[in-house]
Amino acid sequence: MRCGYCERRCRVSPGRTGFCRMYMRQGDTVIERFPHHFSACGTSRIESFPFYHVYPGSRSMAIGTSSCNFQCRYCSNAYIAKEDPEVMQGHMYRMFPEKLIDTARKLNCHNIVFSVNEPTVSIPTLLEVVQAARSVGIPMGCLTNGFATKESIELLASIFSFFNVSLKGLSSQFTRRYIGIDSSQPVLRNIRRLAQDRHVEVTTPVIQGANDIEIDGIAEFLASVDPEIPWHVFRLLPEDEMKDAPYPDIGAIDHALQSARKKLHYVYFHNFVGSAWVNTLCPACGSVVIERFSLGCGGDKLKHLFCQGKACPHCGQEIRIETGKPHETLVESRA
Ligand code: SF4
């Protein structure tokens, strides 16, 4: 039988797991091999994932399991994503949903973000976690590569209310060579689906000489879905099998993004110290409506939220932003 959680649709049979090694067959069912095992459980600023347009300034609990359904040559989390999950078990915490949510509350986290690896490889566990999170009003978001099947993107949409989908490239030439999948079409389909009723941001890690020529095409695709989707262009430092690749050229990417900004309302360029592209500008009058620090290496931080509610304080233009309850109110209401 085949596993239907992602578009690899691996054959799983007794004694044989699929590509990610996280699911196995039991009778006529595909089940998780390592339910409730987490590789990470710590706090972070929501801007650092990055999420720029949802719960700005809030404290998140970052969680993750192990393994991945992609095989990116430049993976920045290879020690978790590519390691045999069986070997990883010695480095994991076993935490049931109530304990996880209790930890989030003790750490004063406003929300939970699954961010270390791909959530598609741990869907049954996450379906249980969200029940406990919902019972105390903690929203959940995730970073995903968007390669889920149509059925499991619905499961992910039932778990997470905010997404950052990594759209790594468009062409099959790129996806085959650098990611190990034949096509980006399922990812594009799932971005369209999620954008219908979930908060969606998109990240593109740029690798010099590999996908930098696709910047304009990606901006065009996103604009065709919704020009208000926040797009994070991430300067990926050479890692994993691509350690010897050149560092992406900041000036060249900056230049390429000038035309993207005419297509999309919220374009960001980060992962280097001092980026001027980490503030949110009002799409109508151009004034700064959210100011951030750029600390490099995914460590961005909120400085000032100038919006009045969801409106630009200068011209009143509505800014796409999910504010939710302020963190303090949420904590007080639980007391
Ligand atoms: S989730 Fe894992 S086992 Fe299932 S199809 Fe994808 S790679 Fe294969």
Side-chain angles (χ1 to χ4, degrees):
M1 70 185 294
R2 292 194 180 270
C3 168
Y5 282 113
C6 90
E7 290 290 355
R8 284 194 185 275
R9 298 183 186 272
C10 307
R11 192 179 293 282
V12 284
S13 47
R16 184 178 155 185
T17 62
F19 179 88
C20 67
R21 298 167 287 186
M22 292 291 276
Y23 292 108
M24 65 181 188
R25 179 175 172 177
Q26 187 176 73
D28 287 336
T29 320
V30 173
I31 62 163
E32 272 181 302
R33 292 178 72 204
F34 312 106
H36 306 292
H37 281 69
F38 292 89
S39 59
C41 171
T43 61
S44 195
R45 288 180 291 269
I46 199 159
E47 283 77 13
S48 68
F49 290 106
F51 278 107
Y52 275 11
H53 286 246
V54 64
Y55 311 127
S58 65
R59 180 187 294 186
S60 308
M61 187 164 86
I63 61 170
T65 56
S66 61
S67 196
C68 189
N69 54 344
F70 273 12
Q71 185 75 3
C72 301
R73 290 177 57 195
Y74 49 83
C75 181
S76 52
N77 260 347
Y79 65 103
I80 288 174
K82 289 188 177 175
E83 182 56 274
D84 183 339
E86 200 155 345
V87 172
M88 279 296 295
Q89 295 314 298
H91 310 280
M92 309 274 280
Y93 317 95
R94 192 161 193 225
M95 291 179 86
F96 290 99
E98 292 68 27
K99 173 75 179 160
L100 199 70
I101 300 309
D102 194 42
T103 306
R105 297 180 73 178
K106 283 185 177 142
L107 293 171
N108 279 339
C109 294
H110 170 276
N111 52 72
I112 295 176
V113 178
F114 189 99
S115 57
V116 179
N117 59 313
E118 171 53 41
T120 308
V121 303
S122 300
I123 286 180
T125 284
L126 292 168
L127 282 166
E128 291 185 43
V129 172
V130 75
Q131 298 302 329
R134 225 166 252 157
S135 69
V136 292
I138 296 183
M140 289 179 62
C142 74
L143 312 189
T144 175
N145 58 34
F147 201 57
T149 55
K150 279 185 188 170
E151 296 75 26
S152 42
I153 203 69
E154 295 305 327
L155 293 174
L156 292 175
S158 75
I159 297 167
F160 301 110
S161 56
F162 54 104
F163 288 78
N164 189 322
V165 184
S166 184
L167 178 53
K168 301 169 196 298
L170 297 175
S171 68
S172 294
Q173 201 180 11
F174 171 80
T175 58
R176 283 194 189 118
R177 180 163 180 202
Y178 292 97
I179 303 176
I181 60 167
D182 284 337
S183 165
S184 62
Q185 285 305 316
V187 183
L188 306 187
R189 176 197 70 207
N190 288 337
I191 289 174
R192 282 192 192 282
R193 155 64 191 95
L194 293 173
Q196 287 171 11
D197 55 13
R198 292 292 179 273
H199 175 83
V200 174
E201 304 192 17
V202 169
T203 291
T204 298
V206 172
I207 306 110
Q208 185 89 32
N211 64 349
D212 47 341
I213 53 167
E214 301 201 359
I215 285 177
D216 220 39
I218 293 172
E220 244 164 61
F221 164 73
L222 294 177
S224 77
V225 179
D226 179 355
E228 295 213 327
I229 288 180
W231 185 34
H232 303 266
V233 175
F234 207 74
R235 181 177 180 249
L236 196 79
L237 304 183
E239 301 213 39
D240 195 25
E241 297 166 42
M242 294 188 66
K243 276 195 181 68
D244 298 329
Y247 276 48
D249 185 277
I250 294 172
I253 298 171
D254 192 293
H255 181 72
L257 288 178
Q258 297 299 336
S259 69
R261 228 177 203 174
K262 293 179 187 138
K263 301 181 180 103
L264 295 166
H265 293 184
Y266 308 110
V267 179
Y268 304 102
F269 176 29
H270 42 131
N271 203 28
F272 58 96
V273 176
S275 171
W277 290 76
V278 291
N279 296 328
T280 299
L281 307 182
C282 170
C285 72
S287 53
V288 175
V289 290
I290 308 176
E291 193 176 4
R292 302 179 185 86
F293 288 114
S294 172
L295 307 175
C297 296
D300 299 339
K301 188 179 175 189
L302 180 73
K303 190 175 177 189
H304 288 300
L305 180 62
F306 295 113
C307 294
Q308 288 168 351
K310 295 186 180 186
C312 169
H314 297 281
C315 71
Q317 167 76 26
E318 188 172 329
I319 306 297
R320 175 162 300 180
I321 186 169
E322 295 296 328
T323 47
K325 278 182 171 178
H327 173 60
E328 288 73 16
T329 313
L330 193 72
V331 173
E332 274 167 21
S333 70
R334 290 181 199 138

